[in-house]
Every structure is written in structure tokens, then in C-alpha cells.
Amino acid sequence: MTAPPPGPTLLVLDAEPLPRLGRLMGRARIEHVDASALADRLPHADVLLVWDFPTDAVRAAWPGDGPRPRWVHTASTGVDHLMCPELTASDTVVTNARGVFDQPVAEYVAGLVLAMAKDLPRTWDLQRGRQWRPREVTRVGGTRACVVGSGPVGRAIARTLKTLDVTASIVGRVPRTGIHGPADLDRLIARADWVIAAAPLTERTDGMFDTRRFGIMQPSARFINVAHGALVDEEALAGALSKRWIAGAALDVLRHEPPTPDSPLWQVPGLLLSPRMAGSTVGRSDELGRQFVELYDRWEAGKPLPNVVDKQRGYVPGY
């Protein structure tokens, strides 16, 4: 009988396409599982790689008897799908994929800004109807954006928008040089042409974009969410768009995904829905795999890990 490979046990919660972990062959016992087998195998793992990051399987499987992995890495920026009281209270180190998604998400936001300002969705609709309808569109240069979220993604969005001559203000958890605090949020979104949600999901941010906040935005404002669906009261957003409190919105994430065929969100006027495409670039899986292997090298060598999540706050601190 062939002896199992030496080294720690690496449990991979799978999703297609599978991560490329060839550099770890012979260094770790790599075991691939799906959500149904996760609870049974957790006590036997030293490391858990959450490759299937949209699932809540970890949060459901973590409580229970027996040891738990010393390190959990998620191939995503957000960690709300992982956290449960037992994991938060444990000594397990949690890391995320900070750095992989920053520029792709920023580019996607810039694309949405240009598409909405230049009325491209309506142009395509008119073309399909064989209608030639000249009209005026919005100039992007000189407009203002409020980016809610001061992490790497939020700051990349602000930098990218500035290349379009958009004045971008960033709101974070605490005020500091170049970053506004929560006390400035209402004032900034009240005068913004673009309000962009890029914040982590925490108790403070859950449902933060509600009827009151949509009510204080300008009638010409457009809202974009590329962070977490739970940041937004979707019924309030639908009402704001239907009543023309704001000019338009784009949601790349929803509270419940995918929306059911009879969901009213499909028919909300001025609302553009996309299925988590902001960070879905060609080659993303390979980049995420390389990042994890580099982190594993450090973990194996006993070196400090970057991208360590503050489990109480729900994000990597320092930004």
C-alpha cells in the first residue's frame, strides 16, 4: 500500500475550475471535498482553502466537536460567508485574497459609470428595435463620486475614476488623511453624482443603503454596488428608482443570488443587474491559486502571513 504523502493536510472546498496546487504536491496531503463532506473532514485538516467562496458551507460546518484547521484561506475579499461565533472565538488564522480583485473591480466600476453616463444600455435596446434616436448624454469629467469603503478595492476605484476627471471622495470606518469618516457619509452622498458601495459586510454596514439614504441622493445620482448584496435594501432601491428619486443603479451583487425568475428586480426601471462579474477576469483562478501557494510557502516556513483578517471586524485592518 502506498503511504500517504508527508506534510500537513490541506482541505480544499472545491469549485470549478479547480485550483492549480502542483507546487504543493509532496509537501501536503491535499484532499478535495464538497459542502456535504466538509463537516466530516474538518477535524482532520491543518489548513482549509475555501475555493468555493460564495457558499455558506464553512459557517454551517465549523461548529462541532474535534479540532479545527489552524489556518483558513478564502479565495475572496469578503469573509462574511465564513464567520460564525465558533470560528471568531477560535485561534484559527483567517486570510483573504486581498490584492487580486482591486483593479478588475475598479475597471468594472469605471465601465458602469461610462455605460450609464453615455446611455449605452438604451442605445443597444434602440438598435435592437431598429430605432435611430439621437439624444444628449452625460459628461463624466467634472462629476463627483462618493466611494463607500476605504480598503484596497475602494481606493483603486477612486484612483481609476480620477483618471476620468471624476472627483472621488472615500468614506471609511474611521477618518484619516485622505479618508472621510462615517459622520461625513450623508453629506457626501447628498452631492455625489456616483455613489459606489465597496465596503465590507459588518453589523454596521448591513442594510446601510436604505430608503433614507436613497432619499438624500440627488435626482441625477446613480448608485453602484460591487461589494455585498446585504449592504443594500433592495426594496428601497427599487422604490427610489421607480419614483425617480435617483437616475439609475447597477448591482453586481444581490442579497439572494441568483434572483428568482419572478423577482421584481428584473423589471425595475433604470436598474442594471450583473452576476458578480466585477472581479471575474480571465486568468483570475490562476492568480488566486498562485496567491494561495505563496501564502502556503510562508505558513509552512513559519513566517507571518499577510492578509490576516480581524475576525471581530470582518476585514483586514489597516485601511
Side-chain angles (χ1 to χ4, degrees):
M1 181 179 294
T2 303
T9 297
L10 168 60
L11 195 63
V12 183
L13 181 58
D14 277 342
E16 294 291 342
L18 297 178
R20 295 185 180 182
L21 303 175
R23 279 176 50 193
L24 302 183
M25 298 300 293
R27 297 165 54 191
R29 294 185 292 271
I30 302 174
E31 182 178 345
H32 295 265
V33 298
D34 59 17
S36 65
L38 182 60
D40 181 61
R41 300 308 303 162
L42 272 179
H44 308 283
D46 298 290
V47 179
L48 172 63
L49 169 57
V50 185
W51 195 249
D52 184 12
F53 59 83
T55 180
D56 292 330
V58 176
R59 188 164 55 194
W62 194 271
D65 297 328
R68 290 295 182 264
R70 291 173 282 160
W71 169 35
V72 174
H73 177 76
T74 179
S76 62
T77 302
V79 298
D80 52 285
H81 58 293
L82 302 177
M83 303 314 297
C84 61
E86 293 81 1
L87 175 54
T88 301
S90 73
D91 293 330
T92 297
V93 174
V94 176
T95 57
N96 70 358
R98 186 184 66 177
V100 173
F101 299 100
D102 308 354
Q103 192 56 36
V105 173
E107 292 172 3
Y108 197 81
V109 169
L112 290 171
V113 166
L114 289 169
M116 289 192 284
K118 305 309 177 184
D119 203 19
L120 294 183
R122 189 179 179 206
T123 296
W124 289 324
D125 286 341
L126 290 170
Q127 178 181 337
R128 284 193 292 270
R130 300 176 184 270
Q131 298 182 57
W132 187 263
R133 192 174 299 174
R135 59 204 186 280
E136 294 182 341
V137 294
T138 302
R139 181 174 178 174
V140 173
T143 60
R144 293 177 175 178
C146 176
V147 181
V148 184
S150 60
V153 171
R155 288 180 286 114
I157 291 170
R159 286 195 305 270
T160 302
L161 290 181
K162 285 177 181 178
T163 67
L164 299 175
D165 195 27
V166 176
T167 300
S169 300
I170 304 175
V171 178
R173 180 174 177 269
V174 293
R176 52 203 184 275
T177 303
I179 306 293
H180 296 268
D184 293 329
L185 177 59
D186 287 353
R187 175 178 62 83
L188 291 171
I189 67 175
R191 64 180 189 177
D193 301 287
W194 312 98
V195 178
I196 300 150
L201 178 59
T202 67
E203 290 184 0
R204 293 185 177 189
T205 61
D206 192 343
M208 67 182 300
F209 291 101
D210 54 12
T211 298
R212 185 186 68 82
R213 287 218 160 98
F214 290 123
I216 63 177
M217 294 180 191
Q218 299 185 88
S220 59
R222 291 169 169 103
F223 174 77
I224 297 172
N225 185 13
V226 289
H228 298 271
L231 299 183
V232 180
D233 181 335
E234 292 165 354
E235 185 176 350
L237 174 60
L241 288 166
S242 298
K243 297 171 185 175
R244 298 184 180 179
W245 288 0
I246 61 175
L251 301 179
D252 190 56
V253 286
L254 299 175
R255 188 175 288 268
H256 301 291
E257 298 175 359
T260 59
D262 61 349
S263 170
L265 291 176
W266 295 111
Q267 301 297 325
V268 175
L271 177 60
L272 174 63
L273 301 179
S274 58
R276 287 185 178 264
M277 293 177 62
S280 297
T281 53
V282 175
R284 177 191 67 168
S285 294
D286 289 342
E287 188 173 358
L288 289 168
R290 286 193 299 271
Q291 181 190 54
F292 174 74
V293 170
E294 290 169 1
L295 289 175
Y296 190 94
D297 290 342
R298 295 184 63 88
W299 179 82
E300 186 180 48
K303 297 179 179 179
L305 290 172
N307 294 9
V308 174
V309 173
D310 183 321
K311 293 185 290 183
Q312 296 291 337
R313 296 182 183 181
Y315 54 89
V316 178
Y319 293 95

